Amino acid sequence: MKKMNIKSWAIEDRPREKLLLKGIQNLSNAELVAILIGSGNRDETAVTLSKRILNSTQNNLNKLAKLSVEELQRFKGVGEAKAIAIITALELGKRQFFEDTVIQSKISSSKNVFDLMQPKLADLPHEEFWVVYLDNANKVIDKQQISKGGLTSTLVDVRLIYKRAIELAAIGIIICHNHPSGKVDPSHSDIELTQQIKEAGITLNIKLLDHLIIGKKKYFSFADEAIL
């Protein structure tokens, strides 16, 4: 059987041509993925293969983004290069969204911080510790990953947090980390670390405004719970 590729389709069924004629917003997720992989296999078109891949994640792009190269290669017709193309495109989209959110952010509540950091932290299989740096109008100056750890913990160097704060002339900071388990209750070590960071900031006149523990769809705010 002849391999089914995009060039063999009727012109109105080709995702690339459809993009040029009608605009990218008119393409389905499966058609966008089909453009990335270019061709299907001997039994299905690129769009059909893309639909099958998406169906395996309940058509959830966040779940698709969590698949590894090896997991994508389990689909017939997806080699290493195609798997890398899918992962790369999704990661670029995530980074673009994250950067746009940072540029537009003024922090007035813990929910603002959650909306800012949730796309970056919520779906990670390991812990990461980030700091959001603010000016005197509570606008985001920068955000920085301080450490990356394992499934249940990550080591944090308090000196690195405030080194960057001084470089930016930040007035306040908000610290954030994720719990891969999805549970957001603070551990004893979370509480101890928060106090260490707060006390170091007092000496430098840089205020620790909050500490958020971020899960997939919920978060814990030290400030909201009055334990900061």
Side-chain angles (χ1 to χ4, degrees):
M1 185 181 295
K2 186 178 178 181
K3 189 174 182 178
M4 302 178 72
N5 57 53
I6 287 176
K7 290 182 179 179
S8 68
W9 305 352
I11 190 166
E12 64 272 14
D13 294 327
R14 300 181 191 175
R16 293 190 187 94
E17 281 77 359
K18 183 176 178 181
L19 184 154
L20 294 172
L21 290 171
K22 298 183 178 181
I24 195 168
Q25 68 276 6
N26 288 301
L27 270 65
S28 67
N29 289 341
E31 288 170 327
L32 292 172
V33 174
I35 290 175
L36 290 172
I37 65 177
S39 61
N41 54 54
R42 294 186 180 278
D43 302 315
E44 56 191 350
T45 66
V47 170
T48 304
L49 172 58
S50 298
K51 287 180 179 178
R52 188 157 59 86
I53 294 170
L54 285 165
N55 284 340
S56 74
T57 64
Q58 293 78 50
N59 294 303
N60 186 310
L61 292 178
N62 287 323
K63 290 183 179 179
L64 178 62
K66 292 170 69 175
L67 296 182
S68 66
V69 170
E70 292 74 19
E71 288 170 327
L72 285 167
Q73 285 183 274
R74 293 173 188 166
F75 294 92
K76 182 180 177 182
V78 178
E80 184 178 75
K82 292 179 180 180
I84 289 172
I86 293 171
I87 289 173
T88 300
L90 289 166
E91 178 62 21
L92 281 171
K94 184 188 294 184
R95 292 186 187 187
Q96 185 268 336
F97 175 82
F98 189 53
E99 288 177 1
D100 279 356
T101 306
V102 169
I103 291 169
Q104 298 169 7
S105 290
K106 180 176 180 179
I107 304 301
S108 59
S109 69
S110 60
K111 180 64 164 54
N112 294 154
V113 184
F114 177 72
D115 291 341
L116 174 68
M117 298 302 298
Q118 191 268 353
K120 186 68 178 177
L121 293 174
D123 293 318
L124 294 177
H126 56 268
E127 279 200 12
E128 289 189 5
F129 191 97
W130 284 71
V131 180
V132 179
Y133 297 94
L134 306 175
D135 65 13
N136 59 1
N138 275 2
K139 290 183 179 179
V140 176
I141 306 171
D142 195 13
K143 85 285 181 201
Q144 184 178 38
Q145 181 195 88
I146 298 298
S147 65
K148 177 178 176 180
L151 294 174
T152 58
S153 66
T154 180
L155 296 175
V156 177
D157 189 333
V158 177
R159 294 170 299 178
L160 290 178
I161 294 174
Y162 287 108
K163 177 179 181 292
R164 183 60 176 158
I166 292 168
E167 291 171 350
L168 294 167
I171 300 300
I173 64 170
I174 297 172
I175 55 178
C176 308
H177 79 279
N178 63 307
H179 282 176
S181 66
K183 297 179 181 179
V184 296
D185 295 329
S187 66
H188 182 67
S189 61
D190 289 336
I191 295 170
E192 281 191 340
L193 177 61
T194 304
Q195 288 305 310
Q196 290 174 15
I197 295 171
K198 178 182 177 180
E199 289 169 10
I202 291 171
T203 304
L204 297 168
N205 200 27
I206 300 172
K207 188 172 183 180
L208 175 61
L209 300 171
D210 203 351
H211 180 181
L212 263 68
I213 300 173
I214 294 176
K216 295 183 185 302
K217 295 183 179 179
K218 57 185 179 179
Y219 66 94
F220 182 94
S221 162
F222 279 65
D224 290 352
E225 298 299 325
I227 59 172
L228 188 60

